[in-house]
Amino acid sequence: MNLKQTILDILKSADGYISGEKISAQLNISRTAVWKHIKKLRSDGYEIESVTNKGYRVVSSPDIISEEEIKNNLNTKFIGQNIFYYDETDTTNERAKANNTAPDGSVFIAETQTGGKGTRGRAWTSPRGAGIWHTILLKPDIPPLEAAQITLVAGIAVCKAVENDAMIKWPNDIVIGGKKLCGILTEMSSEKNMINHIVCGIGVNVNTESFPEEIAHRATSLYIESGKKQKRNDLTAKILNEFEYYYAKFLDGGLGAILDEYKRHCVTIGKEVSVIYKKETLHGKAIDVDEDGNLVVSTNNEIIHVSSGEVSVRGIYGYV
């Protein structure tokens, strides 16, 4: 039994004050032990008031990642039912890959990452207490060629969870007002025609108050957009709930089952784009996302289907 968490749960569920004597009797521990755990909770950032002859009550809670608080808001069957928490780690994708024997749907989450990365090895900053840095371990029975489509599943899930006019910049960024809110990095281990596992890393800028000058023009956070601090545990649970819903639809009916939803959230469609395609830089208009998740681009000479490569959108991240 995690006594510190149990005492916190008792305090939170109490209607007003609850005495140390009552807590000690309920848990069959000494009042001194209760006091020691409350002292630890205070050092974790919980504001706990104590009044003689009344007892204790929680005044405010810190915004720290908590497995218990995430699970309190989960309504999933398997996504997030196993959570691996790290105060600090290199990347949650690396932790998921290193622990790939964990159950399908396990989530690896960290307060901060020291080696956060985005697509093509770009750095991704993961400041402590400011974002949601987590990875979902998946073991789907699908062809390896379809693995990249899980990025699209995650994109819809994040948009649905964060709202705030969030849109998807194909294929793996979530943007608000042309600035990046979230990055998604999906990686796969496979052999022949079988997937061993997939790790889907999702990094969301939640309560970041400002960004370094060199990226401030293309990065944002939910706090910057709304002026309000968000509860990261609640938002994490929302993302996981939405992910399982769309992932189940994807497994049942393929990408076609969620493609219309994806297109509704895709800011790239209808925009002028610059594409690095077969080592050439082409300009055109994004007109669709096809049934394989490829971006369909109309250039002066042809219609091309882009499955990978750099795609810049006019008005987003500095493409003018």
Side-chain angles (χ1 to χ4, degrees):
M1 178 189 295
N2 184 338
L3 282 174
K4 186 175 73 169
Q5 183 62 44
T6 303
I7 290 170
L8 179 61
D9 292 340
I10 291 171
L11 289 170
K12 285 185 171 181
S13 60
D15 184 14
Y17 293 92
I18 182 168
S19 69
E21 184 179 4
K22 191 170 183 179
I23 297 171
S24 66
Q26 187 173 333
L27 298 178
N28 195 27
I29 59 175
S30 68
R31 290 179 65 179
T32 301
V34 171
W35 177 81
K36 284 182 178 178
H37 285 295
I38 285 175
K39 188 177 178 182
K40 289 178 183 176
L41 287 167
R42 283 171 170 160
S43 69
D44 286 342
Y46 290 92
E47 186 181 349
I48 300 173
E49 187 178 59
S50 59
V51 176
T52 305
N53 298 324
K54 283 188 175 183
Y56 304 100
R57 75 180 180 99
V58 176
V59 178
S60 66
S61 301
D63 184 32
I64 55 177
I65 296 297
S66 162
E67 175 182 349
E68 288 79 10
E69 292 195 23
I70 293 170
K71 286 186 173 179
N72 283 343
N73 291 296
L74 277 184
N75 55 30
T76 60
K77 293 180 179 177
F78 72 104
I79 298 292
Q81 292 303 315
N82 292 278
I83 295 177
F84 297 81
Y85 167 79
Y86 304 88
D87 179 67
E88 179 178 298
T89 191
D90 47 2
T91 75
T92 55
N93 269 24
E94 291 303 318
R95 291 309 94 223
K97 287 187 279 188
N99 295 277
N100 62 72
T101 57
D104 189 17
S106 293
V107 170
F108 298 78
I109 189 164
E111 274 290 354
T112 184
Q113 300 178 116
T114 57
K117 61 182 181 179
T119 51
R120 293 170 185 82
R122 294 192 183 100
W124 174 272
T125 57
S126 311
R128 178 179 295 277
I132 297 171
W133 326 121
H134 66 323
T135 295
I136 307 170
L137 175 67
L138 301 166
K139 301 177 182 181
D141 183 17
I142 60 174
L145 285 174
E146 295 178 9
Q149 297 174 9
I150 289 173
T151 299
L152 280 64
V153 174
I156 302 172
V158 174
C159 282
K160 287 287 188 177
V162 305
E163 300 174 344
N164 281 80
D165 300 318
M167 298 289 283
I168 303 165
K169 173 188 171 289
W170 182 93
N172 61 341
D173 287 352
I174 309 302
V175 300
I176 296 179
K179 293 186 176 183
K180 185 171 180 176
L181 174 77
C182 164
I184 300 165
L185 179 61
T186 302
E187 299 177 284
M188 172 182 65
S189 168
S190 65
E191 49 189 87
K192 294 183 179 178
N193 295 317
M194 185 183 76
I195 290 174
N196 295 322
H197 62 266
I198 292 170
V199 299
C200 181
I202 303 170
V204 188
N205 299 323
V206 182
N207 291 326
T208 309
E209 296 181 1
S210 64
F211 290 92
E213 186 177 344
E214 61 268 21
I215 62 170
H217 67 287
R218 55 187 173 89
T220 192
S221 71
L222 289 174
Y223 173 73
I224 290 171
E225 295 300 323
S226 68
K228 298 177 182 177
K229 290 293 178 81
Q230 309 283 327
K231 292 183 178 179
R232 291 182 298 144
N233 291 312
D234 293 353
L235 182 55
T236 301
K238 283 183 181 179
I239 292 171
L240 298 178
N241 288 336
E242 295 288 356
F243 185 93
E244 181 170 284
Y245 174 75
Y246 288 101
Y247 182 60
K249 293 185 74 171
F250 167 74
L251 292 181
D252 286 343
L255 189 62
I258 62 169
L259 192 54
D260 286 345
E261 187 76 51
Y262 181 86
K263 291 179 186 180
R264 279 194 288 273
H265 288 90
C266 185
V267 72
T268 312
I269 297 174
K271 295 290 199 305
E272 297 295 319
V273 297
S274 173
V275 180
I276 296 177
Y277 180 73
K278 294 181 179 178
K279 299 183 179 180
E280 286 187 65
T281 299
L282 303 176
H283 296 278
K285 184 176 184 179
I287 58 174
D288 201 0
V289 174
D290 69 21
E291 64 278 2
D292 294 319
N294 302 321
L295 186 67
V296 184
V297 177
S298 174
T299 69
N300 289 333
N301 302 316
E302 59 182 333
I303 302 290
I304 60 173
H305 293 246
V306 183
S307 61
S308 62
E310 294 284 341
V311 175
S312 298
V313 181
R314 188 182 295 277
I316 298 180
Y317 308 165
Y319 168 52
V320 179

